[in-house]
Amino acid sequence: MEVTIEPGWKAILKEEFEKPYFKNLVEFVKNEYSSTKCFPPGKQIFSAFNHTPFNDVKVVIIGQDPYHGDGQAHGLCFSVGENVATPPSLKNIFEEIRTDIGTPIPSNGNLERWADQGVLLLNATLTVRAHQAGSHQNRGWEKFTDAIIEKLSQEREGLVFMLWGGPAKKKGAKVDNSKHLVLTSGHPSPLAANRGYWFGNKHFSKTNDYLEEKGKKPIAW
């Protein structure tokens, strides 16, 4: 199975691409994209990996599904294109960054600038049908993204994993916290944030403090 992805990731995930479940997943995704409207666009399914090569990863943020509205998803969790309205969860992320480290709220929700600095913006499921949340769950993507988290945990050191909300915490449960910093909080969605589970987590300053301790350049959030 030939997957177009950044060469470092391709080498790391070579065996994964050959497994039966992944071949079945590819067939499913091809069929879905050819028969119905799906997001993100096909060429952007692996954008997170192409923006953030394996050896450049400093931080991992775990999302769930891609956005399922028109023009929103572009392969990076929580991120949207520059001409798309900033979704509520991302607004709350920006607000926490503003109060935590003083960075002004940006004019758009495109997080490619984070990805290009080493922030892997990884959704648990990499594709979705238009306007049907969760429609590509339990087809193999979760197994694939679990393998990615496992590879990062085992083969890298000194990474920061940000686990926001129950599903992300569960997905990151096997990260080796003797080698990495694991930060957990509620999800930035309005429901959780308004109940006090998000604001004040200071994940962004904690991440940069840790990266600097490890001799790494902090992220310009």
Side-chain angles (χ1 to χ4, degrees), residues 1 13-26 143-144 147 150-151:
M1 171 63 217
L13 297 170
K14 189 168 181 282
E15 290 180 12
E16 214 62 31
F17 293 144
E18 295 303 323
K19 290 181 179 177
Y21 88 86
F22 192 82
K23 293 180 179 182
N24 291 338
L25 171 62
V26 167
K143 192 170 182 177
F144 177 67
E150 190 177 328
K151 294 276 189 191

mmCIF file of all heavy atoms in Angstrom, residues 1 13-26 143-144 147 150-151:
data_model
loop_
_atom_site.group_PDB
_atom_site.id
_atom_site.type_symbol
_atom_site.label_atom_id
_atom_site.label_comp_id
_atom_site.label_asym_id
_atom_site.label_seq_id
_atom_site.Cartn_x
_atom_site.Cartn_y
_atom_site.Cartn_z
ATOM 1 N N MET A 1 0.851 -1.202 0.000
ATOM 2 C CA MET A 1 0.000 0.000 0.000
ATOM 3 C C MET A 1 0.883 1.247 0.000
ATOM 4 O O MET A 1 1.684 1.437 0.902
ATOM 5 C CB MET A 1 -0.898 -0.040 1.263
ATOM 6 C CG MET A 1 -1.685 1.240 1.519
ATOM 7 S SD MET A 1 -2.842 1.564 0.198
ATOM 8 C CE MET A 1 -2.768 3.327 0.090
ATOM 9 N N LEU A 13 6.277 4.162 9.956
ATOM 10 C CA LEU A 13 4.959 3.507 9.880
ATOM 11 C C LEU A 13 4.879 2.444 8.780
ATOM 12 O O LEU A 13 3.800 1.918 8.513
ATOM 13 C CB LEU A 13 3.879 4.569 9.644
ATOM 14 C CG LEU A 13 3.722 5.595 10.774
ATOM 15 C CD1 LEU A 13 2.813 6.729 10.329
ATOM 16 C CD2 LEU A 13 3.176 4.934 12.039
ATOM 17 N N LYS A 14 6.020 2.124 8.184
ATOM 18 C CA LYS A 14 6.048 1.196 7.052
ATOM 19 C C LYS A 14 5.289 -0.102 7.346
ATOM 20 O O LYS A 14 4.463 -0.559 6.565
ATOM 21 C CB LYS A 14 7.503 0.892 6.699
ATOM 22 C CG LYS A 14 7.707 0.117 5.409
ATOM 23 C CD LYS A 14 9.186 0.141 5.011
ATOM 24 C CE LYS A 14 9.421 -0.616 3.716
ATOM 25 N NZ LYS A 14 9.443 -2.063 3.900
ATOM 26 N N GLU A 15 5.592 -0.698 8.492
ATOM 27 C CA GLU A 15 4.940 -1.970 8.853
ATOM 28 C C GLU A 15 3.442 -1.779 9.061
ATOM 29 O O GLU A 15 2.646 -2.657 8.713
ATOM 30 C CB GLU A 15 5.571 -2.546 10.120
ATOM 31 C CG GLU A 15 6.992 -3.053 9.910
ATOM 32 C CD GLU A 15 7.595 -3.621 11.185
ATOM 33 O OE1 GLU A 15 6.847 -3.831 12.169
ATOM 34 O OE2 GLU A 15 8.818 -3.846 11.201
ATOM 35 N N GLU A 16 3.068 -0.637 9.619
ATOM 36 C CA GLU A 16 1.639 -0.371 9.881
ATOM 37 C C GLU A 16 0.862 -0.340 8.573
ATOM 38 O O GLU A 16 -0.243 -0.871 8.474
ATOM 39 C CB GLU A 16 1.503 0.959 10.620
ATOM 40 C CG GLU A 16 0.374 1.021 11.625
ATOM 41 C CD GLU A 16 0.492 0.046 12.771
ATOM 42 O OE1 GLU A 16 1.622 -0.299 13.183
ATOM 43 O OE2 GLU A 16 -0.566 -0.402 13.250
ATOM 44 N N PHE A 17 1.454 0.282 7.548
ATOM 45 C CA PHE A 17 0.776 0.404 6.260
ATOM 46 C C PHE A 17 0.524 -0.952 5.595
ATOM 47 O O PHE A 17 -0.335 -1.062 4.731
ATOM 48 C CB PHE A 17 1.600 1.287 5.306
ATOM 49 C CG PHE A 17 1.703 2.725 5.723
ATOM 50 C CD1 PHE A 17 2.875 3.443 5.498
ATOM 51 C CD2 PHE A 17 0.637 3.372 6.315
ATOM 52 C CE1 PHE A 17 2.984 4.776 5.866
ATOM 53 C CE2 PHE A 17 0.727 4.708 6.695
ATOM 54 C CZ PHE A 17 1.905 5.410 6.475
ATOM 55 N N GLU A 18 1.290 -1.957 5.987
ATOM 56 C CA GLU A 18 1.150 -3.279 5.370
ATOM 57 C C GLU A 18 0.173 -4.191 6.123
ATOM 58 O O GLU A 18 -0.120 -5.293 5.667
ATOM 59 C CB GLU A 18 2.523 -3.962 5.288
ATOM 60 C CG GLU A 18 3.516 -3.257 4.360
ATOM 61 C CD GLU A 18 2.980 -3.105 2.940
ATOM 62 O OE1 GLU A 18 2.295 -4.031 2.457
ATOM 63 O OE2 GLU A 18 3.230 -2.051 2.329
ATOM 64 N N LYS A 19 -0.309 -3.753 7.260
ATOM 65 C CA LYS A 19 -1.189 -4.618 8.060
ATOM 66 C C LYS A 19 -2.581 -4.707 7.432
ATOM 67 O O LYS A 19 -3.056 -3.742 6.814
ATOM 68 C CB LYS A 19 -1.273 -4.086 9.498
ATOM 69 C CG LYS A 19 0.035 -4.274 10.257
ATOM 70 C CD LYS A 19 -0.073 -3.765 11.683
ATOM 71 C CE LYS A 19 1.245 -3.986 12.429
ATOM 72 N NZ LYS A 19 1.195 -3.442 13.793
ATOM 73 N N PRO A 20 -3.248 -5.845 7.586
ATOM 74 C CA PRO A 20 -4.576 -6.016 6.974
ATOM 75 C C PRO A 20 -5.580 -4.936 7.361
ATOM 76 O O PRO A 20 -6.329 -4.458 6.508
ATOM 77 C CB PRO A 20 -5.016 -7.396 7.484
ATOM 78 C CG PRO A 20 -3.737 -8.131 7.733
ATOM 79 C CD PRO A 20 -2.763 -7.095 8.209
ATOM 80 N N TYR A 21 -5.576 -4.534 8.628
ATOM 81 C CA TYR A 21 -6.565 -3.530 9.045
ATOM 82 C C TYR A 21 -6.385 -2.222 8.274
ATOM 83 O O TYR A 21 -7.364 -1.548 7.930
ATOM 84 C CB TYR A 21 -6.502 -3.274 10.558
ATOM 85 C CG TYR A 21 -5.524 -2.197 10.973
ATOM 86 C CD1 TYR A 21 -5.907 -0.851 10.990
ATOM 87 C CD2 TYR A 21 -4.201 -2.503 11.319
ATOM 88 C CE1 TYR A 21 -5.010 0.145 11.340
ATOM 89 C CE2 TYR A 21 -3.299 -1.511 11.664
ATOM 90 C CZ TYR A 21 -3.711 -0.194 11.680
ATOM 91 O OH TYR A 21 -2.819 0.787 12.010
ATOM 92 N N PHE A 22 -5.111 -1.861 7.992
ATOM 93 C CA PHE A 22 -4.862 -0.598 7.306
ATOM 94 C C PHE A 22 -5.281 -0.697 5.836
ATOM 95 O O PHE A 22 -5.844 0.253 5.274
ATOM 96 C CB PHE A 22 -3.392 -0.173 7.418
ATOM 97 C CG PHE A 22 -3.167 1.246 6.965
ATOM 98 C CD1 PHE A 22 -3.419 2.313 7.817
ATOM 99 C CD2 PHE A 22 -2.749 1.518 5.669
ATOM 100 C CE1 PHE A 22 -3.250 3.627 7.384
ATOM 101 C CE2 PHE A 22 -2.575 2.826 5.228
ATOM 102 C CZ PHE A 22 -2.830 3.886 6.093
ATOM 103 N N LYS A 23 -5.039 -1.844 5.246
ATOM 104 C CA LYS A 23 -5.475 -2.041 3.856
ATOM 105 C C LYS A 23 -7.001 -1.967 3.755
ATOM 106 O O LYS A 23 -7.545 -1.368 2.822
ATOM 107 C CB LYS A 23 -4.951 -3.378 3.331
ATOM 108 C CG LYS A 23 -3.421 -3.382 3.198
ATOM 109 C CD LYS A 23 -2.885 -4.696 2.692
ATOM 110 C CE LYS A 23 -1.362 -4.629 2.557
ATOM 111 N NZ LYS A 23 -0.783 -5.864 2.035
ATOM 112 N N ASN A 24 -7.684 -2.533 4.743
ATOM 113 C CA ASN A 24 -9.151 -2.441 4.777
ATOM 114 C C ASN A 24 -9.607 -1.000 4.980
ATOM 115 O O ASN A 24 -10.593 -0.551 4.377
ATOM 116 C CB ASN A 24 -9.708 -3.317 5.910
ATOM 117 C CG ASN A 24 -9.532 -4.795 5.629
ATOM 118 O OD1 ASN A 24 -9.388 -5.208 4.473
ATOM 119 N ND2 ASN A 24 -9.524 -5.602 6.670
ATOM 120 N N LEU A 25 -8.887 -0.281 5.822
ATOM 121 C CA LEU A 25 -9.202 1.126 6.078
ATOM 122 C C LEU A 25 -9.059 1.941 4.797
ATOM 123 O O LEU A 25 -9.933 2.764 4.482
ATOM 124 C CB LEU A 25 -8.272 1.672 7.167
ATOM 125 C CG LEU A 25 -8.300 3.183 7.421
ATOM 126 C CD1 LEU A 25 -9.675 3.639 7.877
ATOM 127 C CD2 LEU A 25 -7.233 3.564 8.443
ATOM 128 N N VAL A 26 -7.996 1.723 4.056
ATOM 129 C CA VAL A 26 -7.771 2.454 2.810
ATOM 130 C C VAL A 26 -8.912 2.196 1.827
ATOM 131 O O VAL A 26 -9.422 3.132 1.188
ATOM 132 C CB VAL A 26 -6.411 2.066 2.185
ATOM 133 C CG1 VAL A 26 -6.304 2.572 0.752
ATOM 134 C CG2 VAL A 26 -5.269 2.624 3.022
ATOM 135 N N LYS A 143 -6.864 2.640 15.539
ATOM 136 C CA LYS A 143 -5.743 1.706 15.687
ATOM 137 C C LYS A 143 -4.469 2.320 15.100
ATOM 138 O O LYS A 143 -3.379 2.210 15.680
ATOM 139 C CB LYS A 143 -6.086 0.390 14.972
ATOM 140 C CG LYS A 143 -5.145 -0.758 15.299
ATOM 141 C CD LYS A 143 -5.702 -2.072 14.752
ATOM 142 C CE LYS A 143 -4.785 -3.223 15.126
ATOM 143 N NZ LYS A 143 -5.329 -4.520 14.680
ATOM 144 N N PHE A 144 -4.606 2.964 13.969
ATOM 145 C CA PHE A 144 -3.479 3.614 13.310
ATOM 146 C C PHE A 144 -2.916 4.741 14.177
ATOM 147 O O PHE A 144 -1.699 4.840 14.386
ATOM 148 C CB PHE A 144 -3.944 4.155 11.949
ATOM 149 C CG PHE A 144 -2.899 4.905 11.182
ATOM 150 C CD1 PHE A 144 -1.777 4.263 10.667
ATOM 151 C CD2 PHE A 144 -3.048 6.275 10.935
ATOM 152 C CE1 PHE A 144 -0.816 4.954 9.942
ATOM 153 C CE2 PHE A 144 -2.090 6.974 10.204
ATOM 154 C CZ PHE A 144 -0.971 6.309 9.718
ATOM 155 N N ALA A 147 -1.051 3.555 17.183
ATOM 156 C CA ALA A 147 0.304 3.114 16.821
ATOM 157 C C ALA A 147 1.256 4.311 16.726
ATOM 158 O O ALA A 147 2.426 4.226 17.125
ATOM 159 C CB ALA A 147 0.273 2.353 15.492
ATOM 160 N N GLU A 150 2.124 5.419 20.233
ATOM 161 C CA GLU A 150 3.042 4.420 20.804
ATOM 162 C C GLU A 150 4.468 4.609 20.263
ATOM 163 O O GLU A 150 5.445 4.570 21.020
ATOM 164 C CB GLU A 150 2.535 3.009 20.468
ATOM 165 C CG GLU A 150 3.263 1.907 21.191
ATOM 166 C CD GLU A 150 2.667 0.537 20.873
ATOM 167 O OE1 GLU A 150 1.451 0.440 20.634
ATOM 168 O OE2 GLU A 150 3.440 -0.427 20.849
ATOM 169 N N LYS A 151 4.587 4.840 18.948
ATOM 170 C CA LYS A 151 5.912 5.052 18.341
ATOM 171 C C LYS A 151 6.581 6.293 18.937
ATOM 172 O O LYS A 151 7.772 6.284 19.257
ATOM 173 C CB LYS A 151 5.789 5.224 16.824
ATOM 174 C CG LYS A 151 5.323 3.993 16.075
ATOM 175 C CD LYS A 151 6.455 3.047 15.776
ATOM 176 C CE LYS A 151 6.013 1.929 14.850
ATOM 177 N NZ LYS A 151 7.033 0.866 14.754
#
